[in-house]
Amino acid sequence: MQNQTSPLLPLLADVPVIPVLEFQSVDEALHVSEALVTGGLPLLEITLRTPVALEAIKAVAAALPQACVGAGTVLTVEQLHAVRDAGAQFAVSPGLTPSLAEGAQGAGISLLPGVATASEAMLALEAGFTFLKFFPAQAAGGVPMLKSLGGPLPQLRFCPTGGIDVALAPTYLALPNVVCVGGSWVVPKDAVAGKDWGHIRSLAEQARALRSKG
């Protein structure tokens, strides 16, 4: 069992937002990632939702050693190994299956598994995970749900993701069991289409400045 503190937690001490990224090309991945890291968001979740995702992870990890590159939408143990081999330092899954929980032990990469209910959170805790993704955050009950989970499960910490924007983020970050939030608002599609990397950097700076609890 991986019943230990996630190595991601120290990296998130002053980083309140993990950008959730979906890239259409490696060139796009490099430009966007550089803008985000320069803006103060060094933890990047590159989702496995496009054909170039693995190549993008490999390229960004090599080009930006100061970044902590992660892979999102990891569903299987095979994908977990593939993203690790591509250079990802952490993996994020929308949920947690018994095979993924078992495969994550000793895999050489940190897994941030997703949960949406108290039962799922308990199963993740039983498997040794204490830092969890709360997904889909807004649809699964949002801030009230996380407050409710904090009572019976005080040992758990969360990264809520799904439906969160810059206006909602501070409310989540104010919760004692929330470490950070995941969001795609820092990379608007129109900014990517217009190659406005400066705007993305500014949004990253704004996100970095969001206040979490002390």
Side-chain angles (χ1 to χ4, degrees), residues 2-6 9 124-125 128-132 155-158:
Q2 183 185 299
N3 199 4
Q4 59 186 18
T5 302
S6 170
L9 291 177
L125 179 61
F129 297 94
T130 56
F131 181 36
L132 308 173
Q155 64 273 64
L156 296 180
R157 295 293 177 269
F158 295 94

Side-chain angles (χ1 to χ4, degrees), residues 53-62 69 80-88:
L54 281 176
E55 194 179 350
I57 289 169
K58 185 178 295 186
V60 173
V69 181
L80 187 67
H81 292 165
V83 299
R84 175 202 62 197
D85 294 344

Side-chain angles (χ1 to χ4, degrees), residues 45-174:
E45 179 188 334
I46 300 176
T47 62
L48 300 185
R49 298 179 187 173
T50 64
V52 303
L54 281 176
E55 194 179 350
I57 289 169
K58 185 178 295 186
V60 173
L64 298 171
Q66 69 273 40
C68 181
V69 181
T73 324
V74 173
L75 307 179
T76 66
V77 176
E78 291 75 20
Q79 288 179 326
L80 187 67
H81 292 165
V83 299
R84 175 202 62 197
D85 294 344
Q89 297 179 55
F90 67 97
V92 184
S93 59
L96 184 63
T97 64
S99 60
L100 189 58
E102 183 179 353
Q105 313 306 325
I109 183 171
S110 296
L111 177 65
L112 179 61
V115 301
T117 67
S119 293
E120 291 173 3
M122 289 170 64
L123 286 170
L125 179 61
E126 191 174 88
F129 297 94
T130 56
F131 181 36
L132 308 173
K133 173 182 179 178
F134 179 61
F135 176 83
Q138 282 293 99
V143 168
M145 180 63 169
L146 283 168
K147 283 182 179 178
S148 297
L149 290 175
L153 298 166
Q155 64 273 64
L156 296 180
R157 295 293 177 269
F158 295 94
C159 172
T161 304
I164 299 174
D165 58 20
V166 68
L168 290 170
T171 309
Y172 279 95
L173 292 167

Side-chain angles (χ1 to χ4, degrees), residues 157-203:
R157 295 293 177 269
F158 295 94
C159 172
T161 304
I164 299 174
D165 58 20
V166 68
L168 290 170
T171 309
Y172 279 95
L173 292 167
L175 298 176
N177 59 348
V178 169
V179 177
C180 62
V181 300
S184 57
W185 83 83
V186 289
V187 184
K189 290 183 179 179
D190 58 347
V192 176
K195 298 185 177 182
D196 191 351
W197 317 128
H199 181 50
I200 293 172
R201 184 177 65 249
S202 295
L203 291 174

